[in-house]
Structures are given as C-alpha cells and as structure tokens.
Amino acid sequence: MQPTQAQKGAAFRALHEGEAFVIPNPWDAGSAKVLAALGFEALATTSSGFAFTLGRLDGNVTLDEVCGHVEALDRSTDLPVSVDLENGFGPDPEDAAAAIGRAAEAGAVGGSIEDYDPVRAAIDDVGVAAERDLRDYFRLSAADAKARVAELVEAGELAPVEVEGWGRTAGYLAAGARVPRRVEAAALIGPFDSLIWERARVRRIFGFEYRLEIYVPAAKRRHGYYVLPFLLGDSLVARVDLKADRAAGVLRVRALHLEPGAPAETREALARELEAVAGWLELESVAGADGAGIAA
C-alpha cells in the first residue's frame, strides 16, 4: 500500500532533521523508479530537466505542466517528492503561495522557489549590455526582455548608457556599477563561455570576430579546429588551436594567431596559461606544432 501524502511529508521532514542527504532529479516516471531502486530516499523535480523533456528551454513550462509532472512522479514510487517552482510562477508572494498550493494538491511534500530575475542576473554577469544581449543570455523572448528592461530602468536598477562605437544601439549598466581602473585577467576562453557565445556582442565590445570552425572543412578553416580566444586584461588579444598529444605527453599549439595591437607581453602571458592547461590535463609540456615554445 502506497504511503499517504502526510506520511511522505513526515519522512521528508525527518530527512532534514538528520545529516546531509542527496536528493536526485528524475525527469520522468521511469527515471524516478530507477532512482528509487538505487536507494535514494526522496526525489526532487528539476525545472530545466523537465523542460528539456518537452523540447523547451528552462523557464518555458506552465504551472499546470509542472503539477502534472509532480503527479506522475508521485504515483511512480513511494518516495516523497519536492518540486522546483522556479520563481513561483509570478511576481507577487500570492503567486508563489498559489503555486505551492497547486503543487501540494498534485502530491508534492516539499518545494523550492528562486528569488530570481533573469534580466537582473544577466546584467550582473555581463556588465554593459544592449537589450538583445540581456535577452540572449537566458534565451528570453523579445517581449519579456524588453518589458523587464523598461521596468528595471523605471525602478532605477538599470541605467541607460551610451557606449562608444555602438552607434544607435542603446546600452545598459547596473545602477551603481563601478568601472575598475584596470583589469588584471589572463584566461583562455572556451567557445561556449558566456563571455563570447553572443558573437555580435563580442564584435561590438572587443572588435573580435570569432567563429567556431569544427564543422568547417579543414582546407577552409581560417584559425583552426577548436580555437580558444585568449583574454589579457580587458582585451581579447590572441587565439590558439590546441590538441592534447597524450602519447607524447605534450599540449600542442597547432596554431597561434595574435590580434592586431596585441601587447608585447601577450606571448609570455599566454605561455603561462598554456602551462596551466597542460597541468590540468596531466601533460608534461607545451609546444608549437613544430616543437617550438610559445613565449619566444
């Protein structure tokens, strides 16, 4: 006989009164049964995992769909189910309360609500941005992003700014943001890093044209197969195509391209970062494709 919701709730509360425990995220009834068979004592929904099963991005499911998902998980095992209610499905406390009530009716005995504003989070992460940059960061709809930007500007949380070289494209900056006099940074940037995934923004801010060429025929590649831009200070100053030669224990730099105006210290700084990468990969050394060093 399946335990009642009250019994599941008591079991879930008891878990929180003991030592730390792991609560896994099933994405459907089948994975819930597998996790229960593995010995887990509770389950929790995942907003992104559930959205992906529907072929959507996170944040694009309805409360009705979430509650249906909770019902399916609750029926599939005897374990207590906690639900990810994202931002409470509305801007007001009453919306969150209603979502919690609906989830409880569906069988949930626990839940989480994120005090989260994707546009505010995006501006905190990217710094100065156009509206379309903020929209793209969390793949928001144009209408939602535009409305939220206007609300934040009116509330004084987002400041419109003019950015040199952006022409008629309006920029935004978090109110009270401080611009450092100098940026001390040195890092190789992966092609899917949020700093560079919006190529138009990279072009606007850094004057850096970037294209991932892994699907480009070798003879037509301009910079290489899996090219990593190199950030030095507040500029993208070079790019490298790397390959781990594990048989030889060497990180090979198959191609190195310096940007116009790259500072004199670029090669030396890049060599230090490549040594660090080689260390992470448990390789013994770094060399160019011809066996030469990079700093020279």
Side-chain angles (χ1 to χ4, degrees), residues 110-163:
S112 61
I113 292 177
E114 303 164 0
D115 183 11
Y116 178 70
D117 181 333
V119 173
R120 192 68 178 80
I123 199 67
D124 288 341
D125 286 351
V126 305
V128 66
E131 180 271 320
R132 66 189 180 200
D133 302 330
L134 300 175
R135 178 202 322 161
D136 179 79
Y137 197 74
F138 286 112
R139 300 296 194 267
L140 304 174
S141 71
D144 287 347
K146 186 175 182 178
R148 187 57 184 146
V149 166
E151 290 171 358
L152 290 172
V153 170
E154 184 177 355
E157 297 184 46
L158 207 59
V161 295
E162 292 184 6
V163 183

Side-chain angles (χ1 to χ4, degrees), residues 135-291:
R135 178 202 322 161
D136 179 79
Y137 197 74
F138 286 112
R139 300 296 194 267
L140 304 174
S141 71
D144 287 347
K146 186 175 182 178
R148 187 57 184 146
V149 166
E151 290 171 358
L152 290 172
V153 170
E154 184 177 355
E157 297 184 46
L158 207 59
V161 295
E162 292 184 6
V163 183
E164 184 179 352
W166 284 21
R168 299 177 64 181
T169 300
Y172 297 93
L173 191 66
R178 298 179 62 183
V179 179
R181 293 183 179 180
R182 182 179 176 84
V183 176
E184 299 287 349
L188 287 163
I189 310 298
F192 305 107
D193 190 281
S194 59
L195 179 69
I196 63 170
W197 74 32
E198 218 299 288
R199 308 300 195 231
R201 181 173 183 270
V202 175
R203 190 180 308 115
R204 244 184 297 119
I205 291 181
F206 297 103
F208 189 87
E209 294 285 345
Y210 181 64
R211 182 187 185 193
L212 185 60
E213 298 181 282
I214 59 176
Y215 300 115
V216 176
K220 295 184 178 181
R221 290 178 194 143
R222 181 180 177 189
H223 295 110
Y225 177 73
Y226 199 84
V227 175
L228 307 182
F230 180 53
L231 177 71
L232 184 62
D234 59 0
S235 301
L236 293 171
V237 298
R239 59 189 91 200
V240 289
D241 183 18
L242 304 178
K243 181 177 177 60
D245 183 347
R246 296 198 174 276
V250 175
L251 177 65
R252 298 202 181 278
V253 181
R254 300 193 294 188
L256 163 61
H257 300 272
L258 299 180
E259 291 297 296
E265 65 270 22
T266 296
R267 283 182 175 272
E268 184 177 349
L270 176 58
R272 289 194 296 267
E273 289 303 305
L274 291 172
E275 289 289 347
V277 172
W280 301 335
L281 296 175
E282 299 182 343
L283 301 172
E284 297 174 2
S285 62
V286 178
D290 57 1

